[in-house]
Amino acid sequence: YATARFTIKKSQDELNALAAAGLRRVFVGLESGSGELLKNLRKGCTPDDLIRAGQMLAKAGIEMDVSMMQGIGGLEHSREHALSTAWLLNEIEPECVRIRTFTVKNNTELGEDYLSGRFVLMGPHDILRELSLMVENISGKMQLLSEHWTNFVHFSADMPSAKQSLLAHIDKH
């Protein structure tokens, strides 16, 4: 597991040495391509940091496997989240994107926002619309994997070649 914040603190020589020692893949919680949402989530990085980390890892020959969080912007930021995440994924072109659907956790700031009504949790159809919008805007080469229990639709798709069949599959749900 790695974070963009700490990856970009490494020198390229340090990342090259890790690759030479056998590191082949890192898992990064990308969550969103929206700078505003990343700030609200206190990820400690920006979209530019994630791009830079991806470039450094690729140069070292280390694969980047990322997770993203459907619904993390709520209804208010759904469109921005889908479009900015697609943009960021196109910039990074990670080997795999693991899709997760946001669930409320107790004793968290976002959980408190949900309980007070400041954060509106998205329903299944809203999540699927957000997912479709993101998929429609992905043009880079990557695998999209939706196998997590929180997701409303499950699939594994190699992008961009599987885009149309994936959109049809999402639309069926």
Side-chain angles (χ1 to χ4, degrees):
Y1 291 91
T3 65
R5 181 173 70 183
F6 290 110
T7 299
I8 63 176
K9 287 183 178 182
K10 300 246 181 248
S11 70
Q12 191 63 54
D13 287 341
E14 289 174 305
L15 292 175
N16 294 345
L18 288 170
L23 182 63
R24 297 287 172 251
R25 178 179 287 193
V26 296
F27 297 89
V28 177
L30 179 139
E31 316 317 355
S32 178
S34 165
E36 180 181 347
L37 289 177
L38 291 173
K39 182 179 176 184
N40 292 345
L41 294 169
R42 297 188 178 108
K43 288 296 291 180
C45 67
T46 66
D48 287 341
D49 294 336
L50 286 157
I51 291 168
R52 186 166 163 223
Q55 291 168 339
M56 292 174 71
L57 290 165
K59 187 173 181 182
I62 300 171
E63 293 180 356
M64 189 175 189
D65 193 323
V66 302
S67 60
M68 62 82 50
M69 190 72 64
Q70 291 288 187
I72 195 66
L75 285 171
E76 182 179 357
H77 299 285
S78 179
R79 182 172 176 76
E80 170 200 349
H81 171 58
L83 294 174
S84 61
T85 302
W87 170 82
L88 184 57
L89 293 173
N90 288 332
E91 290 293 312
I92 297 172
E93 287 195 335
E95 276 66 31
C96 183
V97 179
R98 295 174 188 275
I99 298 168
R100 306 290 187 255
T101 300
F102 172 71
T103 57
V104 178
K105 303 281 187 208
N106 290 332
N107 303 315
T108 64
E109 189 174 324
L110 200 50
E112 294 300 317
D113 287 346
Y114 167 72
L115 291 173
S116 71
R118 290 185 302 270
F119 180 85
V120 179
L121 194 62
M122 294 173 63
H125 296 290
D126 299 317
I127 294 288
L128 292 173
R129 278 190 290 276
E130 182 179 277
L131 178 61
S132 287
L133 182 59
M134 184 187 75
V135 169
E136 285 172 9
N137 286 279
I138 290 177
S139 57
K141 184 178 179 183
M142 65 197 77
Q143 178 190 28
L144 297 183
L145 183 59
S146 175
E147 59 4 307
H148 199 260
W149 68 269
T150 59
N151 297 347
F152 298 107
V153 61
H154 296 99
F155 57 82
S156 176
D158 292 323
M159 297 295 284
S161 60
K163 182 188 289 194
Q164 293 311 314
S165 61
L166 177 53
L167 287 170
H169 177 68
I170 294 167
D171 192 48
K172 288 180 188 176
H173 292 82

